[in-house]
Amino acid sequence: MLIKFALQDFLEDREFKNVSQSTLESYKVILKQFEDFCTTNELLNVEDITVNTIKKYLIYCQKKGNNATTTNSKLQRIRAFLNYMIECEVIEKNPAKKIQKAREDIKIDVFTDYHIKQMLNYYRRLKNREHAFHSYRDYTIIVTLLGTGVRLSEMCALKWSDIDFTQQTMSLFGKNRKRETIPVTEKCMKELSAYKVFCEQHFKGNLNEYIFTNQKNEQITPNAVKNVFKRLSKIMNFRDVRLSSHTFRHTFCQKCIQAGMSTFAIQKLMRHSNISVTEKYAAMWGNDLKEQNDRYNPLNNLEV
């Protein structure tokens, strides 16, 4: 079967299975790159794809500057595609299964208090001076990401009807495609409430059902938010941290862990499908080891 037509079938199957739009786009981009690589190397049929083909493609990606996390993501997408080819009885075995993932460097970016204050102060100055829509919206976006740890796609999909200002909760359509409710602090609720009043005034009573919109009062897209952070990154010029929505999520997780919140509670707030993910973060940022060492170290009772 031609790779070109096989990919079309696979993408239609993913769409039928109702994967998220971001996942579908990821499949399209990565598998199109893989198809182009195969075509360049005169491989046209799915049956001709071998372990060596996939390895050469991943090495090619590494030489182009892809890190281990990116190449592992590409390997995962190729595996899924070839598993589908087995289901369709095009091939008998998946050559991608024989390839081990690359070892990833464990470095997770988080913001310091300095970073957070710099960003919020920047928007606060703009907001007070100009009271511009963009500065108020972007300020509230940062407060929401920091105060809840929600994912970018979840935040963009938030509606005013998802916020219960009385019970102080937020309802989210999460990564696992089910609706979940999380508690929200009073401080974050006050910011969202004030922003709602501002939007009602700015749009002359025509409040959009979505919380975060563009200047035309249309639902904001994840790409638009990424562009906001790209512009902010140039202004802030942070050299030691990546300014992205996921860094806000990691920062939320780190702050909760360092404040002593239980792993179980953090898993519920972050909505990790597996607690092992939460435990990985806890091992990285937890202060239990330091506290235990400070308390029980043998030098404590010795004069040295």
Side-chain angles (χ1 to χ4, degrees), residues 229-242:
F229 290 149
K230 280 181 184 177
R231 290 192 295 271
L232 182 60
S233 180
K234 290 179 181 178
I235 295 165
M236 294 291 103
N237 197 28
F238 297 146
R239 298 186 182 278
D240 52 346
V241 67
R242 180 169 172 260

Side-chain angles (χ1 to χ4, degrees), residues 118-132:
Q118 287 292 102
M119 289 185 284
L120 291 178
N121 285 340
Y122 168 74
Y123 282 123
R124 201 175 283 124
R125 287 193 300 271
L126 285 182
K127 192 170 64 168
N128 291 337
R129 187 170 67 240
E130 304 168 13
H131 210 59

Side-chain angles (χ1 to χ4, degrees), residues 25-217:
E25 287 300 317
S26 173
Y27 276 125
K28 285 179 180 178
V29 172
I30 290 173
L31 294 176
K32 181 65 173 71
Q33 291 173 353
F34 181 60
E35 180 199 350
D36 291 343
F37 177 83
C38 290
T39 303
T40 303
N41 288 274
E42 299 181 352
L43 286 169
L44 301 178
N45 296 307
V46 175
E47 297 90 334
D48 296 330
I49 297 172
T50 64
V51 175
N52 203 35
T53 305
I54 301 166
K55 279 185 177 178
K56 282 183 176 179
Y57 170 66
L58 296 176
I59 291 169
Y60 165 77
C61 292
Q62 288 173 342
K63 288 180 178 178
K64 284 185 68 178
N66 288 177
N67 59 25
T69 303
T70 304
T71 55
N72 285 341
S73 177
K74 290 182 176 182
L75 176 60
Q76 184 181 359
R77 297 299 190 231
I78 293 169
R79 275 180 184 168
F81 164 61
L82 293 174
N83 278 337
Y84 177 70
M85 289 294 98
I86 292 174
E87 289 177 26
C88 296
E89 298 182 352
V90 175
I91 56 176
E92 292 183 1
K93 294 182 180 179
N94 186 341
K97 280 192 173 180
K98 294 184 178 180
I99 302 173
Q100 291 186 340
K101 287 185 175 182
R103 186 174 295 175
E104 299 179 21
D105 295 328
I106 303 175
K107 180 186 180 298
I108 300 177
D109 282 342
V110 291
F111 294 119
T112 63
D113 290 347
Y114 169 80
H115 294 136
I116 295 167
K117 287 175 182 176
Q118 287 292 102
M119 289 185 284
L120 291 178
N121 285 340
Y122 168 74
Y123 282 123
R124 201 175 283 124
R125 287 193 300 271
L126 285 182
K127 192 170 64 168
N128 291 337
R129 187 170 67 240
E130 304 168 13
H131 210 59
F133 167 72
H134 287 108
S135 57
Y136 205 148
R137 181 201 63 192
D138 297 349
Y139 174 88
T140 311
I141 283 175
I142 288 178
V143 170
T144 303
L145 290 172
L146 275 175
T148 62
V150 297
R151 300 177 179 91
L152 176 58
S153 58
E154 294 169 341
M155 188 198 72
C156 292
L158 270 176
K159 298 179 180 179
W160 289 113
S161 58
D162 296 326
I163 307 295
D164 188 328
F165 288 101
T166 304
Q167 297 297 321
Q168 295 190 344
T169 60
M170 178 182 287
S171 184
L172 299 162
F173 193 59
K175 192 175 182 180
N176 53 6
R177 309 307 297 272
K178 71 176 182 180
R179 192 158 286 278
E180 298 171 285
T181 300
I182 59 170
V184 181
T185 62
E186 184 178 355
K187 187 178 287 187
C188 187
M189 278 296 181
K190 283 182 178 178
E191 291 291 346
L192 285 167
S193 180
Y195 178 65
K196 185 178 183 181
V197 173
F198 169 79
C199 289
E200 287 173 333
Q201 294 173 350
H202 182 78
F203 293 113
K204 297 178 173 54
N206 184 26
L207 187 69
N208 194 301
E209 64 174 334
Y210 290 98
I211 295 177
F212 297 107
T213 65
N214 58 22
Q215 185 67 57
K216 295 179 180 178
N217 203 18

Side-chain angles (χ1 to χ4, degrees), residues 258-294:
Q258 292 184 338
M261 188 183 289
S262 73
T263 306
F264 177 76
I266 294 167
Q267 182 201 7
K268 292 300 180 185
L269 286 174
M270 297 288 288
R271 287 154 293 109
H272 290 147
S273 57
N274 194 319
I275 199 167
S276 63
V277 177
T278 318
E279 288 171 343
K280 182 181 73 173
Y281 291 133
M284 189 180 305
W285 294 317
N287 51 17
D288 284 353
L289 188 61
K290 182 181 185 307
E291 289 175 357
Q292 294 290 313
N293 185 50
D294 288 345

